[in-house]
Amino acid sequence: MRKSQLIYQYVRRNGPVSKQDIVFGLKLSLPTVSNNLQYLMELGVVETPTKIENTGGRNAVAYAGASQARIAIGIYLTKNHMTAVSVDLNGQVIVKEKVRTRFNLEDEEYLKKIGELVESVKRQTDVSDEQLLGVGIAVQSLVSEDGEDVTYGMTLNFTGATRKRIAKYVPYRNRLFHDSEMSGHAEAWIDGTLKNAFYLSLNNSVGGSVIIDNKMYVGDTLKSGEIGHTLVVREGGEQCYCGRYGCFDTVCRATKLDEYTDGNLEEFFELLEQGDKKAAEMWDTYLNELAIGIHNIRMLFDSKVIIGGYIGAYIEEHLEELAKRVDARSPFTKEKAMDYILPCKYKVESAAAGAALNYIDDFFESI
């Protein structure tokens, strides 16, 4: 990592800091720190918003990261919605906008809505074209390594779709990303202490991503983490969108719960909290299936398991009960599931945010 990057990241994570703080923290010379700070200020990513009080003399200049000097936009396309977020250099979501619309890449008006949503979020964030690093588009599919093509889009039947078609009305740098991988990426990004983990994405379809040494592991053919297509029901299982029967997706997708409340997951958990008998029975069944999935993940990876997606936003208060069911299946009685099952930290549109963060990463590399 170049010295300019080291200094920038130190200031971004620890600011406001003085030059002496940076010298001592990074063990660099004062001239090196001074020259690089000047460069970073000219770039606009470091600012001096305050002074640091010094009782022994005049106050020192304090340096901090200018978090909105650059932003990226992420958009997530699902069956009935498209959501866009703007993300700053600290990984924080600035603006979020969600539009209800039926996924249809054959409809020119749908494609125009994608462009309009990007422009709306850009306008609300109040950034110039120069400040916008790019637009990441998260989709419910596997995508090619270069982000140009949908290689497996059975969830919404759009295998073979291209970035050029999807982003027809997006006049900024853009590329496609796999949604589950991006949710895991967002989680690893926001929690720099996370080492090894499996991110379990429980949305209207079930997916996952593998994090090793705080980096994404995508596998030999970019299919790592496809936990939704592991076989969990050997006989009499429901048909999955992939055409097979008994996939994990069929028992743990979010729609298994919100089908009771006409697609409103928040209402389902409200009913559960109120003691609704039907909701409680459905949740009991769901937790049993989820516990089996988590047990299998733990046996394979021996890592943290992060519960994310739509269900992840509600799981925290149910973790203890879930952990008990996982423990009941484990042959290793001394370890406890509460020590390795975690609720997701990135609860706000993680797939869209993760897609945007790729452009933040690219920018950091360029400093």
Side-chain angles (χ1 to χ4, degrees):
M1 186 180 290
R2 294 190 294 272
K3 288 185 175 63
S4 56
Q5 293 176 4
L6 279 172
I7 292 170
Y8 171 68
Q9 293 293 1
Y10 185 88
V11 171
R12 185 179 71 84
R13 291 169 179 156
N14 300 288
V17 292
S18 68
K19 285 184 182 180
Q20 287 300 326
D21 291 330
I22 302 170
V23 167
F24 291 130
L26 296 177
K27 295 180 173 55
L28 297 173
S29 70
L30 182 58
T32 296
V33 170
S34 296
N35 290 337
N36 280 282
L37 280 174
Q38 183 61 36
Y39 161 70
L40 294 170
M41 291 182 69
E42 290 173 358
L43 194 61
V45 297
V46 167
E47 57 188 2
T48 55
T50 60
K51 297 272 189 182
I52 296 177
E53 186 174 351
N54 185 344
T55 57
R58 65 181 183 179
N59 294 341
V61 174
Y63 295 89
S67 63
Q68 295 189 27
R70 303 287 191 282
I71 67 107
I73 289 176
I75 190 164
Y76 185 29
L77 306 178
T78 61
K79 183 178 180 180
N80 294 310
H81 296 90
M82 60 174 70
T83 307
V85 298
S86 57
V87 177
D88 68 15
L89 295 178
N90 287 333
Q92 299 300 314
V93 171
I94 308 168
V95 172
K96 180 185 80 168
E97 185 173 346
K98 189 171 187 176
V99 175
R100 184 171 181 83
T101 183
R102 188 78 171 180
F103 182 89
N104 185 1
L105 297 182
E106 302 305 313
D107 181 3
E108 205 70 13
E109 291 304 311
Y110 178 84
L111 299 178
K112 288 179 181 178
K113 284 181 182 178
I114 297 174
E116 290 167 358
L117 185 58
V118 169
E119 293 294 346
S120 175
V121 168
K122 177 175 178 284
R123 184 171 57 255
Q124 292 177 68
T125 310
D126 192 25
V127 292
S128 64
D129 289 357
E130 291 72 27
Q131 288 174 286
L132 178 58
L133 297 172
V135 179
I137 304 171
V139 289
Q140 292 183 301
S141 67
L142 298 174
V143 300
S144 59
E145 190 170 4
D146 60 5
E148 289 292 321
D149 303 287
V150 172
T151 58
Y152 186 86
M154 296 295 290
T155 315
L156 297 173
N157 194 28
F158 68 124
T159 301
T162 64
R163 177 201 61 81
K164 187 175 180 181
R165 173 65 176 170
I166 295 171
K168 183 177 180 179
Y169 296 98
V170 179
Y172 311 106
R173 181 185 175 200
N174 61 78
R175 63 162 290 174
L176 303 179
F177 295 98
H178 180 202
D179 60 343
S180 296
E181 182 188 342
M182 290 304 98
S183 290
H185 177 55
E187 199 70 22
W189 205 99
I190 207 71
D191 183 359
T193 66
L194 191 63
K195 188 179 180 184
N196 302 324
F198 189 99
Y199 182 92
L200 180 55
S201 179
L202 301 173
N203 288 317
N204 291 340
S205 61
V206 175
S209 53
V210 181
I211 301 164
I212 299 177
D213 285 334
N214 202 242
K215 298 183 184 303
M216 305 308 300
Y217 170 75
V218 297
D220 293 340
T221 59
L222 308 181
K223 298 184 184 70
S224 173
E226 284 298 307
I227 191 71
H229 298 294
T230 55
L231 180 65
V232 295
V233 183
R234 293 189 63 182
E235 295 182 5
E238 183 181 328
Q239 186 175 27
C240 178
Y241 66 82
C242 72
R244 278 73 176 174
Y245 289 82
C247 290
F248 186 46
D249 184 280
T250 65
V251 295
C252 271
R253 60 178 185 261
T255 53
K256 296 299 291 185
L257 301 175
D258 68 22
E259 64 186 3
Y260 181 48
T261 50
D262 296 323
N264 189 329
L265 191 62
E266 181 179 4
E267 184 180 344
F268 173 86
F269 279 98
E270 288 174 354
L271 289 175
L272 182 64
E273 187 176 344
Q274 293 165 10
D276 183 90
K277 185 177 179 180
K278 177 65 174 177
E281 291 173 353
M282 294 175 71
W283 183 238
D284 181 68
T285 300
Y286 186 92
L287 281 183
N288 282 333
E289 302 290 359
L290 181 56
I292 293 171
I294 292 172
H295 166 72
N296 291 338
I297 292 168
R298 179 67 176 182
M299 293 303 99
L300 286 171
F301 291 97
D302 188 31
S303 68
K304 304 287 187 185
V305 180
I306 301 168
I307 311 298
Y310 299 152
I311 301 298
Y314 299 94
I315 200 66
E316 192 160 5
E317 63 184 270
H318 303 281
L319 272 184
E320 188 172 343
E321 178 58 32
L322 174 60
K324 287 179 183 178
R325 301 184 190 211
V326 176
D327 285 336
R329 291 167 169 81
S330 176
F332 308 119
T333 56
K334 289 186 178 181
E335 73 171 22
K336 297 300 178 184
M338 280 297 287
D339 294 332
Y340 63 80
I341 302 177
L342 306 173
C344 60
K345 290 187 176 181
Y346 224 120
K347 292 180 170 60
V348 180
E349 299 299 338
S350 60
L357 287 169
N358 282 272
Y359 287 103
I360 303 294
D361 289 337
D362 289 348
F363 177 68
F364 288 166
E365 286 296 317
S366 73
I367 291 177

